Amino acid sequence: MGGTGAATALLPHIFAEFRHGDEIKLDVIPGIGHSGGLSAAAEGVLDVAVAGRALNAQELALGLTPVLAFRTPFGLVTSRFGTDGFISSEVAGIFNSASARWADGSPIRIIMRPKSDTDTMVLGQMFPDMAAALEQARHRPEIPTAATDQDNAQLAEQVPGSLAGATFTQIKMERRKLRFLPIDGVEPSPENLERGSYPYQKTLYLVLPARRSAAAERFVAFMRSTEGKAALRATGNILIEN
């Protein structure tokens, strides 16, 4: 299995709950990303890919099929531990300002993702005027761009006063030393996402190739089961029921 970096650490946890016997082994290919995972699945290298967005027509034409979807909170993380939080209407202004500060006056240090990355798309849709603010921030030479989800989390840990977008499941499962910021007074959590008080999320898709292995079919069936849903929930995700 492999694909979007947000799923790299959650897959072994779910697989450990999967009653598969000794005949099925798990090999998670790290660092290949959404597009790399889909290409590898289409070429028969992966049994299962995890996508960070819905598949487009070109990807579907390769024989790839999204068979299951689950959602996780998406939010803003920082290496700064304190009581800071943001109002949704002010977030774009923070990303658009070279002099944005935390409550104690220390600088907010933004970390970006590549323009084509799915997290950029998700973040750009979260807040008013956010897409334009991200595009403006991209022209500031002092702002680093993290190539992968893991690079993003590592930079966010290392940079004092960092501010970056991330999925709840990645930060939880990788046990990152990062804090999610409350938005409009609400903390990101699966519970708050489910009840609708925290509206920001990212949907991940389990994708199978045209030639499906029996092991992959069994794994997908497990994820739809009561035990599989519980395993997903333990990783900070909620299965989307069809």
Side-chain angles (χ1 to χ4, degrees), residues 78-80 102 106-110 156 159-163:
T78 180
S79 59
R80 174 186 168 81
W102 295 103
S106 60
I108 295 176
R109 296 192 168 112
I110 294 167
V159 173
S162 61
L163 183 63

PDB file of all heavy atoms in Angstrom, residues 78-80 102 106-110 156 159-163:
ATOM      1  N   THR A  78       0.872  24.117  14.987  1.00  0.00           N
ATOM      2  CA  THR A  78       2.013  24.952  15.338  1.00  0.00           C
ATOM      3  C   THR A  78       2.902  24.228  16.338  1.00  0.00           C
ATOM      4  O   THR A  78       2.443  23.363  17.083  1.00  0.00           O
ATOM      5  CB  THR A  78       1.545  26.298  15.944  1.00  0.00           C
ATOM      6  OG1 THR A  78       2.680  27.105  16.275  1.00  0.00           O
ATOM      7  CG2 THR A  78       0.710  26.081  17.198  1.00  0.00           C
ATOM      8  N   SER A  79       4.173  24.600  16.330  1.00  0.00           N
ATOM      9  CA  SER A  79       5.102  24.098  17.341  1.00  0.00           C
ATOM     10  C   SER A  79       4.958  24.862  18.645  1.00  0.00           C
ATOM     11  O   SER A  79       5.512  24.468  19.670  1.00  0.00           O
ATOM     12  CB  SER A  79       6.542  24.247  16.830  1.00  0.00           C
ATOM     13  OG  SER A  79       6.826  25.618  16.546  1.00  0.00           O
ATOM     14  N   ARG A  80       4.201  25.931  18.592  1.00  0.00           N
ATOM     15  CA  ARG A  80       4.016  26.807  19.760  1.00  0.00           C
ATOM     16  C   ARG A  80       2.938  26.226  20.672  1.00  0.00           C
ATOM     17  O   ARG A  80       1.823  25.940  20.234  1.00  0.00           O
ATOM     18  CB  ARG A  80       3.606  28.186  19.270  1.00  0.00           C
ATOM     19  CG  ARG A  80       3.225  29.175  20.345  1.00  0.00           C
ATOM     20  CD  ARG A  80       2.703  30.444  19.685  1.00  0.00           C
ATOM     21  NE  ARG A  80       2.061  31.322  20.639  1.00  0.00           N
ATOM     22  CZ  ARG A  80       2.691  32.159  21.451  1.00  0.00           C
ATOM     23  NH1 ARG A  80       4.005  32.223  21.409  1.00  0.00           N
ATOM     24  NH2 ARG A  80       2.035  32.939  22.288  1.00  0.00           N
ATOM     25  N   TRP A 102       1.945  36.216  16.890  1.00  0.00           N
ATOM     26  CA  TRP A 102       1.181  35.523  17.900  1.00  0.00           C
ATOM     27  C   TRP A 102       0.787  36.514  18.990  1.00  0.00           C
ATOM     28  O   TRP A 102       1.242  37.670  18.997  1.00  0.00           O
ATOM     29  CB  TRP A 102       1.992  34.386  18.502  1.00  0.00           C
ATOM     30  CG  TRP A 102       2.320  33.298  17.522  1.00  0.00           C
ATOM     31  CD1 TRP A 102       3.509  33.087  16.898  1.00  0.00           C
ATOM     32  CD2 TRP A 102       1.430  32.281  17.040  1.00  0.00           C
ATOM     33  NE1 TRP A 102       3.425  32.001  16.062  1.00  0.00           N
ATOM     34  CE2 TRP A 102       2.165  31.481  16.122  1.00  0.00           C
ATOM     35  CE3 TRP A 102       0.094  31.953  17.290  1.00  0.00           C
ATOM     36  CZ2 TRP A 102       1.595  30.391  15.470  1.00  0.00           C
ATOM     37  CZ3 TRP A 102      -0.469  30.865  16.642  1.00  0.00           C
ATOM     38  CH2 TRP A 102       0.273  30.097  15.738  1.00  0.00           C
ATOM     39  N   SER A 106       5.472  37.387  19.257  1.00  0.00           N
ATOM     40  CA  SER A 106       6.460  36.632  18.489  1.00  0.00           C
ATOM     41  C   SER A 106       5.937  36.386  17.074  1.00  0.00           C
ATOM     42  O   SER A 106       4.722  36.312  16.851  1.00  0.00           O
ATOM     43  CB  SER A 106       6.785  35.308  19.181  1.00  0.00           C
ATOM     44  OG  SER A 106       5.619  34.518  19.310  1.00  0.00           O
ATOM     45  N   PRO A 107       6.832  36.247  16.087  1.00  0.00           N
ATOM     46  CA  PRO A 107       6.383  36.119  14.695  1.00  0.00           C
ATOM     47  C   PRO A 107       5.727  34.780  14.383  1.00  0.00           C
ATOM     48  O   PRO A 107       6.117  33.747  14.921  1.00  0.00           O
ATOM     49  CB  PRO A 107       7.685  36.292  13.900  1.00  0.00           C
ATOM     50  CG  PRO A 107       8.767  35.898  14.831  1.00  0.00           C
ATOM     51  CD  PRO A 107       8.306  36.300  16.196  1.00  0.00           C
ATOM     52  N   ILE A 108       4.715  34.837  13.536  1.00  0.00           N
ATOM     53  CA  ILE A 108       4.095  33.628  12.993  1.00  0.00           C
ATOM     54  C   ILE A 108       4.879  33.241  11.751  1.00  0.00           C
ATOM     55  O   ILE A 108       5.035  34.043  10.827  1.00  0.00           O
ATOM     56  CB  ILE A 108       2.618  33.871  12.640  1.00  0.00           C
ATOM     57  CG1 ILE A 108       1.808  34.160  13.906  1.00  0.00           C
ATOM     58  CG2 ILE A 108       2.038  32.671  11.887  1.00  0.00           C
ATOM     59  CD1 ILE A 108       0.361  34.517  13.656  1.00  0.00           C
ATOM     60  N   ARG A 109       5.401  32.015  11.720  1.00  0.00           N
ATOM     61  CA  ARG A 109       6.233  31.560  10.608  1.00  0.00           C
ATOM     62  C   ARG A 109       5.472  30.495   9.814  1.00  0.00           C
ATOM     63  O   ARG A 109       5.334  29.345  10.250  1.00  0.00           O
ATOM     64  CB  ARG A 109       7.566  31.027  11.130  1.00  0.00           C
ATOM     65  CG  ARG A 109       8.399  32.119  11.815  1.00  0.00           C
ATOM     66  CD  ARG A 109       9.809  31.662  12.058  1.00  0.00           C
ATOM     67  NE  ARG A 109      10.654  32.758  12.443  1.00  0.00           N
ATOM     68  CZ  ARG A 109      11.187  32.903  13.665  1.00  0.00           C
ATOM     69  NH1 ARG A 109      10.942  32.004  14.591  1.00  0.00           N
ATOM     70  NH2 ARG A 109      11.962  33.925  13.935  1.00  0.00           N
ATOM     71  N   ILE A 110       5.003  30.894   8.668  1.00  0.00           N
ATOM     72  CA  ILE A 110       4.151  30.046   7.827  1.00  0.00           C
ATOM     73  C   ILE A 110       4.987  29.016   7.076  1.00  0.00           C
ATOM     74  O   ILE A 110       6.109  29.304   6.645  1.00  0.00           O
ATOM     75  CB  ILE A 110       3.368  30.930   6.841  1.00  0.00           C
ATOM     76  CG1 ILE A 110       2.384  31.818   7.601  1.00  0.00           C
ATOM     77  CG2 ILE A 110       2.632  30.094   5.801  1.00  0.00           C
ATOM     78  CD1 ILE A 110       1.793  32.925   6.754  1.00  0.00           C
ATOM     79  N   ALA A 156       7.303  21.954  10.613  1.00  0.00           N
ATOM     80  CA  ALA A 156       6.449  22.601  11.603  1.00  0.00           C
ATOM     81  C   ALA A 156       6.950  22.346  13.018  1.00  0.00           C
ATOM     82  O   ALA A 156       6.838  23.214  13.893  1.00  0.00           O
ATOM     83  CB  ALA A 156       5.013  22.110  11.456  1.00  0.00           C
ATOM     84  N   VAL A 159      10.498  24.598  13.340  1.00  0.00           N
ATOM     85  CA  VAL A 159      10.464  26.056  13.224  1.00  0.00           C
ATOM     86  C   VAL A 159       9.707  26.650  14.415  1.00  0.00           C
ATOM     87  O   VAL A 159       8.534  26.332  14.628  1.00  0.00           O
ATOM     88  CB  VAL A 159       9.785  26.476  11.905  1.00  0.00           C
ATOM     89  CG1 VAL A 159       9.591  27.982  11.860  1.00  0.00           C
ATOM     90  CG2 VAL A 159      10.607  26.003  10.713  1.00  0.00           C
ATOM     91  N   PRO A 160      10.336  27.518  15.192  1.00  0.00           N
ATOM     92  CA  PRO A 160       9.622  28.164  16.304  1.00  0.00           C
ATOM     93  C   PRO A 160       8.488  29.046  15.771  1.00  0.00           C
ATOM     94  O   PRO A 160       8.654  29.763  14.789  1.00  0.00           O
ATOM     95  CB  PRO A 160      10.708  29.023  16.969  1.00  0.00           C
ATOM     96  CG  PRO A 160      12.010  28.428  16.520  1.00  0.00           C
ATOM     97  CD  PRO A 160      11.759  27.907  15.140  1.00  0.00           C
ATOM     98  N   GLY A 161       7.329  28.957  16.405  1.00  0.00           N
ATOM     99  CA  GLY A 161       6.203  29.780  15.984  1.00  0.00           C
ATOM    100  C   GLY A 161       5.628  29.395  14.644  1.00  0.00           C
ATOM    101  O   GLY A 161       5.009  30.216  13.957  1.00  0.00           O
ATOM    102  N   SER A 162       5.786  28.131  14.255  1.00  0.00           N
ATOM    103  CA  SER A 162       5.342  27.671  12.937  1.00  0.00           C
ATOM    104  C   SER A 162       3.828  27.715  12.810  1.00  0.00           C
ATOM    105  O   SER A 162       3.081  27.701  13.800  1.00  0.00           O
ATOM    106  CB  SER A 162       5.830  26.251  12.698  1.00  0.00           C
ATOM    107  OG  SER A 162       5.297  25.372  13.683  1.00  0.00           O
ATOM    108  N   LEU A 163       3.372  27.736  11.562  1.00  0.00           N
ATOM    109  CA  LEU A 163       1.952  27.639  11.251  1.00  0.00           C
ATOM    110  C   LEU A 163       1.820  26.900   9.927  1.00  0.00           C
ATOM    111  O   LEU A 163       2.321  27.350   8.899  1.00  0.00           O
ATOM    112  CB  LEU A 163       1.306  29.021  11.146  1.00  0.00           C
ATOM    113  CG  LEU A 163      -0.202  29.024  10.885  1.00  0.00           C
ATOM    114  CD1 LEU A 163      -0.960  28.370  12.038  1.00  0.00           C
ATOM    115  CD2 LEU A 163      -0.716  30.442  10.666  1.00  0.00           C
TER     116      LEU A 163
END
